[in-house]
Amino acid sequence: MEEPTITIQEPINQKKKLNIIAIADNSEYGKAAVCHGAMLAAVFNGSLTIVSKFGFSFEDRHPKTHSEIWLQYVQEVVDHNIETIVLPHYYFPETLYLYAEETNTIMFVIGVDKSKTEGFFNLRRALRFIKGSRLPVMTVGRRLPDKDIYQHVILPLDIDRQAKEKALWAGYFSRFYHATIHILTNQYSDAGLKRQVGDNIAFVEKLYKNLEVQYVLERAHTRQDIDRYSIEYAPTVGASLTVIMMTKFSTLGDLLTGKHEKHIIGNPQSLPVLCINQRDDLYVLCT
């Protein structure tokens, strides 16, 4: 097994290689974020940048850790060489977003501890970080990735018009990694809703055929929110990732029960969730 190359350096102005940023801490959630980040770097033939000093204020600072521990984590899941960078300085969200823009970063990875007992990113902090990012943010639990992770990806589709962004990002796992994308939809009885979801399905199928993305169409029998149901459905097809759009505007229902992503991010199954913001300047990977 070749050992990953690890360097410690200052932020640089430009990197041609695609980059993944994993925000780590000393918990099992931080370790999982690093390991998933390493796998993603391998999937996208890119580099991994590890941020171990991060917070929303200086009071959030983590204890110092040695870079060798991150190298050990990377070796646990990646069986070939990837460039691994450990940033030595403290980062706030705004400075990290800027660093990502300058280094061809395509995705952040964070470990979310919904129980608030171990990891730095509880649900509130995770949502705050995600909402500020124009890049997708993958949330993971404490479970480490398997060697064959991301070979099956869930794309939940409903009547939401923001299907294109989700479809593109799910499709990248097929185009880079030959993953199978499972388009998961609900079966509506209302004619209007049935037409709307049918239009989304038709759009995604046309897109995937043009891009030669491997996919299957799965129809669910549930009254649940389809994004939330995708967490339960994933094990039935061996999926290890679901892709969701974040809520842009709160409704009365959101105020009463919480936004739907609060029930998905940091899920008990530790299923990774790729979270995409609804924003005009959303980053889209050019391939």
Side-chain angles (χ1 to χ4, degrees):
M1 177 186 298
E2 295 183 24
E3 294 188 354
T5 303
I6 188 164
T7 58
I8 299 179
Q9 65 177 51
E10 302 288 344
I12 55 179
N13 292 327
Q14 185 177 8
K15 289 178 64 179
K16 294 181 180 179
K17 186 179 292 186
L18 300 178
N19 185 50
I20 305 292
I21 292 180
I23 303 179
D25 57 38
N26 289 324
S27 73
E28 291 299 312
Y29 295 90
K31 177 180 179 179
V34 170
C35 291
H36 278 275
M39 287 298 297
L40 288 166
V43 166
F44 289 98
N45 193 28
S47 58
L48 171 65
T49 297
I50 300 171
V51 177
S52 60
K53 300 175 183 177
F54 175 85
F56 294 95
S57 66
F58 279 112
E59 288 74 19
D60 290 332
R61 284 183 292 182
H62 304 300
K64 291 183 178 180
T65 56
H66 297 291
S67 59
E68 289 77 11
I69 192 171
W70 310 122
L71 176 60
Q72 177 185 340
Y73 293 163
V74 170
Q75 286 179 312
E76 289 183 14
V77 295
V78 179
D79 58 3
H80 62 277
N81 185 60
I82 61 170
E83 181 184 7
T84 305
I85 302 163
V86 179
L87 299 182
H89 297 303
Y90 192 78
Y91 282 83
F92 297 107
E94 293 74 16
T95 53
L96 190 57
Y97 298 149
L98 180 60
Y99 175 85
E101 296 280 353
E102 296 174 342
T103 53
N104 207 23
T105 297
I106 63 171
M107 192 182 303
F108 293 107
V109 187
I110 61 176
V112 180
D113 177 10
K114 200 170 183 178
S115 65
K116 308 178 184 179
T117 59
E118 185 181 349
F120 170 77
F121 279 104
N122 56 30
L123 188 56
R124 179 182 60 82
R125 285 173 170 169
L127 291 173
R128 180 179 174 184
F129 179 77
I130 295 167
K131 292 298 287 185
S133 174
R134 65 183 290 260
L135 298 180
V137 180
M138 181 180 289
T139 65
V140 302
R142 61 190 302 167
R143 183 182 301 170
L144 300 182
D146 298 325
K147 297 289 185 180
D148 60 350
I149 197 169
Y150 313 133
Q151 290 188 344
H152 294 271
V153 174
I154 300 286
L155 173 63
L157 279 187
D158 54 15
I159 61 174
D160 194 332
R161 294 183 179 180
Q162 303 293 328
K164 180 179 179 180
E165 289 81 359
K166 284 204 301 186
L168 282 172
W169 276 101
Y172 293 143
F173 285 86
S174 177
R175 299 172 69 187
F176 279 86
Y177 195 51
H178 307 293
T180 299
I181 311 303
H182 298 261
I183 304 173
L184 181 64
T185 69
N186 215 333
Q187 300 195 59
Y188 295 95
S189 56
D190 179 84
L193 298 178
K194 185 182 295 186
R195 183 176 61 256
Q196 286 179 270
V197 74
D199 290 344
N200 277 346
I201 293 171
F203 169 81
V204 173
E205 287 193 301
K206 181 178 180 180
L207 175 70
Y208 279 178
K209 287 175 182 177
N210 289 338
L211 296 177
E212 299 183 342
V213 169
Q214 181 176 335
Y215 74 93
V216 293
L217 181 60
E218 316 272 0
R219 296 191 183 275
H221 298 273
T222 179
R223 295 183 179 180
Q224 286 190 55
D225 170 87
I226 198 65
D227 285 349
R228 191 171 180 179
Y229 180 70
S230 69
I231 301 295
E232 299 178 18
Y233 188 82
T236 67
V237 292
S240 50
L241 175 67
T242 188
V243 184
I244 69 170
M245 296 297 297
M246 301 294 288
T247 302
K248 188 173 185 178
F249 301 110
S250 298
T251 64
L252 178 59
D254 294 332
L255 297 176
L256 294 174
T257 63
K259 295 181 179 180
H260 84 294
E261 56 259 34
K262 294 182 70 174
H263 303 286
I264 303 170
I265 297 170
N267 58 83
Q269 294 89 333
S270 283
L271 184 77
V273 180
L274 187 61
C275 304
I276 303 172
N277 275 323
Q278 296 187 44
R279 50 190 294 166
D280 295 335
D281 62 343
L282 178 69
Y283 176 85
V284 177
L285 181 60
C286 295
T287 59

